[in-house]
Amino acid sequence: TFFKKTYRSSNMSLEILDQEDIKDAIAQVRSDAFPTRWAIIGHEKPNEIKLQSVGNGGADEITANLKEDEVQYVLFRVEEDYEMTKTIKFVYIKWMGEGVPFARRGRYSVLQSSISPLFNPSHVTIDTSDLEDITDENILAKIKEHSGSKSKVVSDGASPSSHSYGKSPNAANGSGPGNYRSKSYGASSKPFVGNASLGKAGKVVELEFSGPVEEAIKDVRSDETPNNWCVLEYGKDENGKLTNTLGLRRMGTTLVELQKEFGEEQPAYALFRVIDVIDDHIPSAKFVFIQWVGEKVKPMVKAKLATHKGALSEKCGPCHISIHATLPGDLSERNILDKVMSASGSKSNVK
């Protein structure tokens, strides 16, 4: 395996600070079951690397996370249309910002032979210091130029393989990506199985709900009860890591109370009920689905949240609007009211 703790290259040894996170992030990029399209690895020190960020967007999202004074490495998943079929290609990007001191560039180059295997196999390697090289159009052009639009993978230093590396339509336990949809929720004693997420070594782990989650959601939606919100949180294992089970944290009535439930290091979800008054006299209940991701939530946790959002929004839904919140200001009364009124087309205030 290429995911051992330490590598030795010439007189420098490479240390991977969070090898499991890197391993899982790359596995998610390569998997059909997850929306993750890219992962960025960077240096903590010249001989130490760690996972910096992951995302579901395109090249513009990648370039927004590249730094002018850093050396970073990216695995990017690209979908190419070829002869009326879609093929998956993987691009390895080696980024060296223009602001990296020349004295350090040689030290980083020495480690390339240890770092590159983490990203194999790939179809195309892009070694650049120019953000203009990293656009969706330029990357697709390089893929076509390199492979002639044939879906064959070329590993660094290896000859073309004799088989297609495109994703199998039966990937991940016999289901294509279109089949990863949440199932309906039965009695509260039965776990809810939703969108898959990736565990260690690329193992698919299913999301479950435990406890009175269904009852809490029904309570918020009911006109007969005072609760206007419920917050769901992930459980933790014996090592303090988040599990793939969600349970009810708390219920309440006011927005001020709800805002106090979110911290900068933990992810959480909420269903929030507001009343939109239409034409000054017709009250209408509106429901807001909130995905909270604090500023200090780790990149791999963020990747997990992306795979769970569909199951959770369906579980809490139907909802009129969805809010992805990172800062307390994202959940201000004004922000929520504006979004509700914009979605409903109402001209009056939300109470």
Side-chain angles (χ1 to χ4, degrees):
T1 177
F2 289 112
F3 291 96
K4 295 179 181 178
K5 179 70 174 180
T6 301
Y7 301 86
R8 184 164 298 278
S9 180
S10 184
N11 294 324
M12 290 184 65
S13 61
L14 174 68
E15 184 175 0
I16 302 177
L17 299 182
D18 51 0
Q19 56 182 339
E20 289 299 330
D21 283 350
I22 291 177
K23 183 177 181 180
D24 291 348
I26 290 176
Q28 284 201 15
V29 173
R30 294 192 182 280
S31 172
D32 280 334
F34 304 95
T36 307
R37 292 190 61 200
W38 56 263
I40 298 178
I41 296 170
H43 288 269
E44 188 77 1
K45 296 179 180 179
N47 66 325
E48 296 176 353
I49 60 172
K50 65 179 294 184
L51 180 68
Q52 291 185 336
S53 55
V54 295
N56 306 335
D60 57 340
E61 196 174 83
I62 293 174
T63 56
N65 286 274
L66 297 178
K67 306 296 193 306
E68 282 297 317
D69 59 348
E70 292 188 21
V71 175
Q72 295 163 287
Y73 314 92
V74 186
L75 182 65
F76 184 29
R77 174 190 174 104
V78 178
E79 188 175 87
E80 180 192 17
D81 292 321
Y82 175 65
E83 294 183 351
M84 300 181 69
T85 62
K86 294 184 182 299
T87 61
I88 301 300
K89 300 295 175 68
F90 296 99
V91 180
Y92 171 36
I93 302 170
K94 294 186 283 187
W95 167 259
M96 182 173 291
E98 293 286 357
V100 177
F102 285 98
R104 291 188 180 179
R105 296 191 178 200
R107 298 177 66 186
Y108 289 124
S109 298
V110 168
L111 295 171
Q112 287 298 312
S113 60
S114 298
I115 294 173
S116 293
L118 298 172
F119 298 88
N120 285 343
S122 61
H123 296 83
V124 173
T125 297
I126 298 175
D127 196 334
T128 184
S129 297
D130 189 349
L131 292 176
E132 293 185 2
D133 291 335
I134 309 174
T135 65
D136 291 316
E137 295 78 9
N138 287 342
I139 289 173
L140 278 174
K142 289 181 180 295
I143 289 173
K144 293 179 183 295
E145 177 184 349
H146 182 269
S147 65
S149 294
K150 296 178 181 178
S151 60
K152 293 185 178 181
V153 174
V154 178
S155 303
D156 286 356
S159 59
S161 62
S162 60
H163 61 280
S164 168
Y165 193 76
K167 296 291 184 66
S168 166
N170 296 319
N173 293 339
S175 299
N179 293 326
Y180 280 84
R181 306 203 183 279
S182 55
K183 301 177 182 177
S184 60
Y185 188 82
S188 59
S189 60
K190 297 180 180 179
F192 174 88
V193 179
N195 286 31
S197 71
L198 208 60
K200 294 183 178 180
K203 180 181 179 182
V204 173
V205 181
E206 293 179 325
L207 174 66
E208 294 184 353
F209 291 94
S210 66
V213 172
E214 183 179 18
E215 289 82 353
I217 292 173
K218 288 181 178 179
D219 189 289
V220 172
R221 290 187 172 277
S222 173
D223 293 329
E224 308 299 325
T225 61
N227 290 311
N228 288 319
W229 56 261
C230 64
V231 175
L232 307 181
E233 65 179 354
Y234 288 94
K236 294 183 179 180
D237 62 19
E238 62 275 9
N239 298 316
K241 293 187 176 181
L242 299 183
T243 68
N244 287 277
T245 300
L246 275 168
L248 177 67
R249 178 196 291 173
R250 192 169 287 111
M251 303 180 68
T253 57
T254 70
L255 177 59
V256 173
E257 293 173 332
L258 176 60
Q259 291 168 337
K260 295 178 181 179
E261 293 297 315
F262 304 113
E264 60 183 4
E265 296 182 351
Q266 296 295 329
Y269 305 89
L271 177 65
F272 181 39
R273 173 193 179 104
V274 299
I275 300 298
D276 185 8
V277 180
I278 302 173
D279 295 333
D280 295 327
H281 67 281
I282 304 174
S284 175
K286 298 296 171 66
F287 296 95
V288 181
F289 174 71
I290 300 170
Q291 181 185 36
W292 172 266
V293 184
E295 286 188 291
K296 294 185 179 179
V297 173
K298 294 182 178 181
M300 275 310 301
V301 175
K302 292 180 181 179
K304 174 188 289 189
L305 303 185
T307 68
H308 289 172
K309 183 178 178 181
L312 284 162
S313 59
E314 183 173 332
K315 178 65 178 172
C316 293
C319 294
H320 297 84
I321 64 170
S322 177
I323 296 177
H324 179 92
T326 300
L327 300 171
D330 298 332
L331 297 178
S332 67
E333 181 178 10
R334 183 72 267 158
N335 187 50
I336 294 176
L337 301 187
D338 287 345
K339 290 182 180 294
V340 170
M341 287 188 289
S342 176
S344 65
S346 61
K347 297 180 179 180
S348 56
N349 292 328
V350 177
K351 295 182 179 179

